[in-house]
Amino acid sequence: MIDGILTGLQTAFSPINLLMVFVGCFAGTFIGMLPGLGPVSAIALMIPITYGLDPASGLILIAGVYYGAIFGGSTSAILINAPGVSGAVATAFDGYPLAQRGQAGKALAIAAYGSFAGGTVGAILLLVFVPFLAKVSLSFQSADYFALMLFGCTAVAAFSGKGQVVKAILMTLLGLMLATVGEDPSGIQRFTFGNADFYDGISFLLLSMATFALAEALIVVLRGSGGSATASDLEKDKLGSMKLSSDEVRDIAPAVGRSSILGFFVGILPGAGATIASFLAYGMERNAAPGDKKEEFGDGSHRGLAAPETANNAASTGSFVPLLTLGIPGSATTAVMLGALLSYGVQPGPRRYIDSPAVFWSVIISMYVGNIILLVLNLPLIPYISKLLSVPRQLLTPIILFFSLMGVYLVSFNTIDLSMMVAIGAIAVVIRILDYPLAPLLLGFILGGMLEDNLRRALLIWDGSFAFLWQRPITATIMVITLLTLLIPVIGSLRDGRRARHPDPFME
Amino acid sequence: MRILDNKDRVGGLLILAFAVAYLRYALVLPLDPTDPNASFTSRTLPVGLAVASIVFALVQLAMSFRGGSGGSIREAVRGYRWRPMLLLLVLMLGYSLMFQTLGFLVSSFTFLLLGFFIMGERRIILSVVVAGGLVTLLWALLTQAFGLFLDPGDLMRAIVGSAG
Amino acid sequence: MKQRGLQWTASRLARFAGTVCLLLCLAFSGSVSAADRVHFLIPGGAGGGWDSTARGVGEALARSGLVEVASYENLSGGGGSRAMAHLIETADRQTNTLMISSSPIILRSLRNLYPQSYRDLTPVASVVVDYGAFVVRVDSPYESWQDVIDDFSANPRGVNIAGGSSRASMDHIVAALAFQKSGVDARQMKYIPYNAGGHAMVGLLSGETQLLSTGLSEAIALADQGEVRILAMTAPDRLERVPDVPTLVEQGVPAVFSNWRGFFAAPGASAAQIQQFRATLSALFETDAWRTIRELRGWTDFHVTGDAFDTFLDQQEQDMAVLLRELGLLE
């Protein structure tokens, strides 16, 4: 194993490969900023370009693109509220408000440090526990995934502050309903009204661009706040600043630590992945935060940004466990990575791990080098990237709209999706005016499909009985944690409420 | 109409209407003919979601009457600039409808130019340069570097002749 | 800001003019060598199975000099039907276009999920094939296909069959074919749908299902890792790549199924045009460029062309219709 690691290091740190990872990170960052081109398409598009290269260099280039694209995705989520991949949705929750407060540089820096920490912890856990982890990734069954998705839904609590409980629940339900459009697991078309354009359901990107990026850009136009340049002019000097005070670092560090570990272990599970990890980390940090910090979530909390961003990256690293130890791609991204590995003649899996550890370790190490270079490359770039926001509003708004439209077009190349997106965007503006939160809608939508799939599978396997809820230890444990997460605040507020002679928890 | 001037109430009503319509279709969704005894069918979750939404929407409505929750809509939209926002919506719709006719380059360039104009940008040269530069850059990246196909549009085909 | 914007303007103006020229040149150059270009229409997004096959074929054609320019257009929607509709609508200008498709086109048309069928297009030729494979864990008590059938006959609800797509789509239908041809009631099958082949594989390994129905190429990759065994597959004869994997036919089950990938041209394409497409694709199989790409991707050649391709499609449609009717999925 040591030999393998040394060979891997030698390969990864040769000058030509360092150059490759540099180019990859750079290209990836910019490609990833375009909402439609997440890590999956970025890698798919880069594979033919890397054909002529030596396999090791090609892989390292791809690793660079991969990390670059993930960071690029967070960038557009933070700067213009346009999460192009589902893993970046939770990043937008607090990253965008932070950027709006004139702290774009700081937000990007937190994201970069968080990603780096998540990737590092992930890589260390990978190095130490690989043989053992293959078993872990296979210990979860559909019933357990169902419980995990349900637990993920509790992140909605973060949007149910003062008197917003019912609204947050309603919007989650709406998201779940939208997720039912299209072909269901039993092959039935639901809510398609015979229209072929609905067969594949509503795409995540379309919904996230319409409800987050479009709605936000249009609301800014409505409020006219961007029209007067004074507000943004005042902040412009601070915009690029990425200085974190030691208090802030101390505030974020524990959240980063917890989220790395949580993210990694969720990432190992082939059916869960980076998105669930980011939601769980976000929900967990909000629940763990002390009272006053809790209020900041959704409103530009540093912890609320660091947690999902860290977990997201740790989970991406974790998702290499099933790929490298079993040869099974657990997510769309690892599926594309598998394609890339195969086209270089590297077949990942336990046999590879035993037969030729050098290749195995050089893959892991070159992935990790991508993570380091990304930090080295992006920290100096952040001040410039965040200056994007100082582009005058009258130019920026149409550009944001254009890039959101292009992002959706690039996924399906279908202009009907564009019309649908504009319609949903208009509805989202109405929802915003009525003060209903849109984040739970997207959360419900993302989790909805997986929730139903896993529940239906579990019920099929258990012959229609719900016994798995208490007979499977993992399911039962997660269900208990879910219930506690939901009940503790209610009990707490009931007790506080009694003290203050306010018996109804909904009325606070 | 004053009774409708409440954000929570109108929101609750809209969701209630949506949920009722959704429920109407959820109740008649086709079932899997090969699995008549399934306990969890294609209808189960939609019906459950619709019923839950109706219940919570009613709770929301009740709260807006009894608890006095939800602010005034008129208050909230005071001073809103509707014109540019609606124009941008129309512009985006036009973009999606004209895309196939005008092609990527022309429609995107026009979209950005008109967008800048709606937002109040009157420096024509600057607008043309920014729009042209962005569209060209994106076009070059996507088609030349990545080999993606962007529709040149019926218009371009009519001018240049059929290129397939 | 205003000042900076203007300086910016001046310096960019010259560059912009240059770009416009370049752009027009490129736009025109596309139409010049029309006879030597092939435009691939892909009914799904970048990175999928259709996409990789079309791009693989196009690249081999371009590298070996059989065509000068290969271009690719992705158009997803409606499970593939949007691209078909597009090809039919714009048929008169799609003379250089080849649309990639595969067996599900027949299945989905039969189930009335598509408003069109492959008959609305002009079939050209198939290029590669994947067979259905049935996979169990290495420690599974099943040693042969017959063991599965015996167990199933004793207790149909005891065999959970995983697949990477929803009910009534490929993995389910192939499994149903194998069960039906084994003489048991395929309607009793307990099919557990997953949303991707990889997830179905995890389901098998986690122990919640006993049998996995998937594509052979995916199954081979997994069996190489020593985690699973392939009990049987749906090719007519054993394959060179996996000489140890028995066919269903040799185990006494007359179930043969080929999930082909192939190309279609626009409706009303001229006979000469189709002839040229077929000649080009036939030449492809002899090139080194194709052999290299095929080896890397683990594809199996499946070259059915000319009238034989039409007959083959008709036959597959008939077989599937019979099966769907017996399963109660079709009146």
Side-chain angles (χ1 to χ4, degrees):
Chain A
M1 172 169 151
I2 303 291
D3 279 356
I5 295 175
L6 286 178
T7 324
L9 280 172
Q10 222 165 3
T11 325
F13 282 101
S14 72
I16 176 78
N17 290 342
L18 277 179
L19 181 75
M20 283 295 164
V21 74
F22 220 80
V23 170
C25 280
F26 195 77
T29 304
F30 283 93
I31 297 170
M33 278 159 78
L34 193 64
L37 300 176
V40 177
S41 354
I43 294 172
L45 294 169
M46 287 304 266
I47 290 174
I49 298 179
T50 61
Y51 263 134
L53 298 173
D54 157 62
S57 308
L59 273 181
I60 285 173
L61 179 71
I62 299 253
V65 171
Y66 173 74
Y67 278 107
I70 291 181
F71 184 74
S74 308
T75 308
S76 46
I78 290 171
L79 293 184
I80 60 171
N81 206 24
V85 284
S86 49
V89 168
T91 303
F93 290 167
D94 280 287
Y96 181 71
L98 258 179
Q100 284 309 98
R101 290 212 308 247
Q103 303 186 359
K106 196 185 265 184
L108 288 172
I110 292 176
Y113 290 131
S115 312
F116 178 74
T120 305
V121 173
I124 293 170
L125 291 173
L126 199 62
L127 281 171
V128 180
F129 295 118
V130 156
F132 163 73
L133 288 174
K135 293 268 178 301
V136 176
S137 68
L138 292 178
S139 58
F140 268 57
Q141 298 189 347
S142 296
D144 312 322
Y145 282 116
F146 163 69
L148 197 65
M149 304 300 158
L150 213 57
F151 185 41
C153 282
T154 61
V156 166
F159 304 95
S160 44
K162 310 171 193 102
Q164 299 269 334
V165 184
V166 180
K167 284 187 188 179
I169 294 173
L170 276 174
M171 294 310 283
T172 314
L173 287 168
L174 198 58
L176 289 165
M177 287 195 270
L178 289 178
T180 59
V181 175
E183 189 176 84
D184 89 333
S186 56
I188 304 284
Q189 302 292 331
R190 295 193 296 198
F191 305 104
T192 57
F193 306 104
N195 184 339
D197 288 309
F198 289 110
Y199 283 5
D200 301 338
I202 300 169
S203 82
F204 156 77
L205 189 74
L206 194 157
L207 196 68
S208 90
M209 287 299 115
T211 57
F212 272 48
L214 279 195
E216 175 60 26
L218 292 174
I219 281 285
V220 170
V221 174
L222 263 184
R223 293 195 180 135
S225 51
S228 58
T230 46
S232 63
D233 274 342
L234 267 178
E235 304 286 346
K236 203 177 288 169
D237 295 335
K238 274 165 59 191
L239 206 56
S241 159
M242 14 187 255
K243 278 200 200 88
L244 288 169
S245 72
S246 56
D247 273 354
E248 287 170 328
V249 173
R250 225 169 296 143
D251 179 37
I252 298 170
V256 167
R258 285 189 291 263
S259 303
S260 321
I261 295 169
L262 174 82
F264 181 78
F265 283 100
V266 175
I268 290 176
L269 307 172
T275 312
I276 310 295
S278 65
F279 285 146
L280 287 179
Y282 188 81
M284 180 181 81
E285 283 308 319
R286 186 188 174 272
N287 288 326
D292 52 327
K293 293 275 174 202
K294 203 173 265 183
E295 295 294 313
E296 288 177 12
F297 272 72
D299 206 23
S301 156
H302 292 170
R303 286 191 195 190
L305 168 61
E309 195 54 27
T310 309
N312 181 2
N313 240 42
S316 304
T317 311
S319 70
F320 279 87
V321 170
L323 179 67
L324 294 172
T325 58
L326 301 163
I328 298 170
S331 63
T333 321
T334 42
V336 176
M337 282 298 291
L338 176 64
L341 290 170
L342 288 176
S343 72
Y344 291 118
V346 178
Q347 165 76 62
R351 182 152 295 175
R352 171 66 61 186
Y353 176 63
I354 297 159
D355 294 350
S356 47
V359 179
F360 180 88
W361 288 112
S362 53
V363 170
I364 293 188
I365 287 168
S366 49
M367 291 304 295
Y368 185 63
V369 171
N371 201 10
I372 298 173
I373 296 292
L374 187 73
L375 190 73
V376 175
L377 179 76
N378 278 329
L379 283 181
L381 275 181
I382 283 175
Y384 300 99
I385 297 179
S386 48
K387 286 269 161 46
L388 275 179
L389 284 187
S390 62
V391 170
R393 199 77 224 183
Q394 69 267 27
L395 295 181
L396 189 60
T397 299
I399 292 175
I400 293 176
L401 299 179
F402 172 62
F403 274 78
S404 311
L405 288 165
M406 274 323 287
V408 170
Y409 180 72
L410 286 178
V411 170
S412 68
F413 295 89
N414 188 345
T415 51
I416 293 181
D417 281 1
L418 296 183
S419 310
M420 211 194 299
M421 175 181 170
V422 177
I424 295 180
I427 295 169
V429 170
V430 174
I431 295 177
R432 283 284 300 266
I433 291 174
L434 295 174
D435 248 349
Y436 280 66
L438 282 165
L441 177 118
L442 208 49
L443 193 126
F445 178 79
I446 294 170
L447 296 178
M450 293 190 269
L451 200 71
E452 186 184 15
D453 276 6
N454 283 299
L455 175 58
R456 288 179 80 159
R457 266 201 296 279
L459 282 170
L460 263 173
I461 289 160
W462 288 74
D463 283 318
S465 149
F466 275 97
F468 57 83
L469 287 178
W470 52 89
Q471 287 187 5
R472 270 196 66 79
I474 302 178
T475 316
T477 312
I478 302 175
M479 290 305 286
V480 168
I481 298 175
T482 310
L483 285 177
L484 288 178
T485 313
L486 290 175
L487 288 180
I488 285 174
V490 173
I491 294 168
S493 71
L494 266 180
R495 211 177 41 209
D496 293 351
R498 276 221 186 92
R499 270 187 212 134
R501 292 186 191 165
H502 261 297
D504 190 350
F506 283 104
M507 303 303 280
E508 47 173 337
Chain B
M1 288 311 278
R2 191 167 299 162
I3 195 164
L4 282 179
D5 189 18
N6 177 301
K7 292 192 274 193
D8 285 12
R9 199 170 299 156
V10 172
L13 271 177
L14 289 177
I15 295 176
L16 184 65
F18 178 83
V20 168
Y22 181 91
L23 180 64
R24 184 214 166 284
Y25 289 103
L27 286 172
V28 294
L29 281 173
L31 293 173
D32 186 356
T34 59
D35 204 2
N37 305 320
S39 56
F40 196 107
T41 70
S42 51
R43 286 178 199 169
T44 315
L45 184 79
V47 170
L49 290 175
V51 170
S53 301
I54 290 171
V55 169
F56 279 103
L58 290 173
V59 169
Q60 176 79 332
L61 281 175
M63 276 167 54
S64 79
F65 282 108
R66 283 198 49 225
S69 76
S72 157
I73 298 176
R74 212 169 300 169
E75 234 13 72
V77 301
R78 178 167 296 160
Y80 271 17
R81 305 191 308 163
W82 293 99
R83 235 175 87 94
M85 201 275 299
L86 292 175
L87 282 174
L88 284 176
L89 270 179
V90 172
L91 179 66
M92 285 192 283
L93 202 62
Y95 179 74
S96 68
L97 295 178
M98 295 302 287
F99 190 92
Q100 272 170 328
T101 313
L102 296 178
F104 169 77
L105 288 170
V106 180
S107 60
S108 303
F109 181 68
T110 321
F111 174 86
L112 283 173
L113 269 193
L114 290 177
F116 296 156
F117 190 82
I118 292 170
M119 289 298 290
E121 178 60 72
R122 292 293 180 272
R123 290 167 289 179
I124 307 237
I125 298 176
L126 177 83
S127 302
V128 169
V129 169
V130 174
L134 256 175
V135 171
T136 317
L137 207 74
L138 197 62
W139 179 85
L141 177 75
L142 296 175
T143 59
Q144 303 304 301
F146 291 150
L148 291 173
F149 177 84
L150 294 173
D151 198 341
D154 298 336
L155 188 76
M156 190 68 103
R157 265 187 291 273
I159 299 170
V160 179
S162 172
Chain C
M1 191 63 223
K2 208 172 213 171
Q3 262 183 343
R4 197 160 22 117
L6 281 174
Q7 280 169 7
W8 209 47
T9 313
S11 69
R12 285 288 169 94
L13 202 59
R15 237 183 284 175
F16 176 65
T19 330
V20 168
C21 290
L22 176 81
L23 213 106
L24 286 174
C25 293
L26 283 166
F28 277 91
S29 70
S31 63
V32 175
S33 54
D36 296 315
R37 56 181 289 165
V38 175
H39 184 70
F40 289 97
L41 181 62
I42 301 158
W50 280 326
D51 186 65
S52 65
T53 312
R55 284 174 196 263
V57 168
E59 205 166 285
L61 288 175
R63 270 201 231 167
S64 56
L66 286 170
V67 300
E68 232 159 76
V69 187
S71 54
Y72 312 93
E73 175 178 2
N74 297 77
L75 179 63
S76 47
S81 73
R82 165 108 334 236
M84 280 170 86
H86 175 71
L87 188 59
I88 294 168
E89 273 166 34
T90 59
D92 46 336
R93 67 171 163 88
Q94 300 282 8
T95 47
N96 294 317
T97 305
L98 282 178
M99 187 185 90
I100 184 148
S101 197
S102 57
S103 294
I105 193 185
I106 296 178
L107 183 60
R108 296 181 76 90
S109 295
L110 279 174
R111 290 178 58 214
N112 282 324
L113 295 176
Y114 284 167
Q116 319 86 352
S117 92
Y118 74 90
R119 284 175 220 283
D120 296 319
L121 310 169
T122 314
V124 176
S126 67
V127 283
V128 293
V129 68
D130 198 10
Y131 297 100
F134 300 97
V135 177
V136 294
R137 281 189 306 277
V138 270
D139 59 359
S140 163
Y142 302 140
E143 293 295 335
S144 69
W145 179 253
Q146 195 53 46
D147 291 349
V148 178
I149 295 302
D150 290 345
D151 204 19
F152 181 83
S153 310
N155 175 19
R157 305 302 290 172
V159 186
N160 294 338
I161 304 152
S165 50
S166 58
R167 270 183 83 85
S169 50
M170 233 42 195
D171 290 344
H172 182 205
I173 295 298
V174 174
L177 175 75
F179 275 81
Q180 186 215 25
K181 296 283 183 192
S182 304
V184 291
D185 184 2
R187 289 191 208 207
Q188 301 277 316
M189 270 171 54
K190 200 165 143 191
Y191 178 75
I192 316 283
Y194 291 78
N195 49 14
H199 291 167
M201 178 71 188
V202 172
L204 180 78
L205 292 179
S206 77
E208 64 181 0
T209 58
Q210 283 77 43
L211 183 73
L212 168 69
S213 164
T214 187
L216 180 64
S217 56
E218 204 168 312
I220 293 174
L222 299 166
D224 276 346
Q225 305 302 330
E227 299 277 326
V228 297
R229 286 181 284 128
I230 307 175
L231 283 187
M233 49 105 175
T234 65
D237 304 292
R238 289 205 183 201
L239 299 174
E240 257 176 60
R241 267 177 74 211
V242 273
D244 302 337
V245 176
T247 64
L248 278 171
V249 178
E250 68 181 73
Q251 300 186 63
V253 181
V256 174
F257 183 80
S258 315
N259 184 354
W260 49 270
R261 284 200 185 131
F263 292 101
F264 292 79
S270 72
Q273 180 68 42
I274 298 302
Q275 211 44 54
Q276 199 199 331
F277 275 143
R278 284 178 172 162
T280 311
L281 286 175
S282 299
L284 169 78
F285 290 93
E286 306 304 321
T287 63
D288 286 334
W290 172 248
R291 266 179 223 122
T292 316
I293 288 177
R294 188 189 62 195
E295 288 304 312
L296 279 177
R297 300 293 172 92
W299 290 332
T300 307
D301 277 349
F302 190 65
H303 189 212
V304 185
T305 186
D307 293 341
F309 190 42
D310 292 353
T311 323
F312 171 79
L313 291 173
D314 286 349
Q315 188 59 47
Q316 190 163 62
E317 187 182 40
Q318 261 177 40
D319 293 350
M320 268 197 223
V322 170
L323 184 65
L324 285 176
R325 240 171 249 127
E326 285 182 21
L327 286 174
L329 283 164
L330 200 68
E331 275 118 52

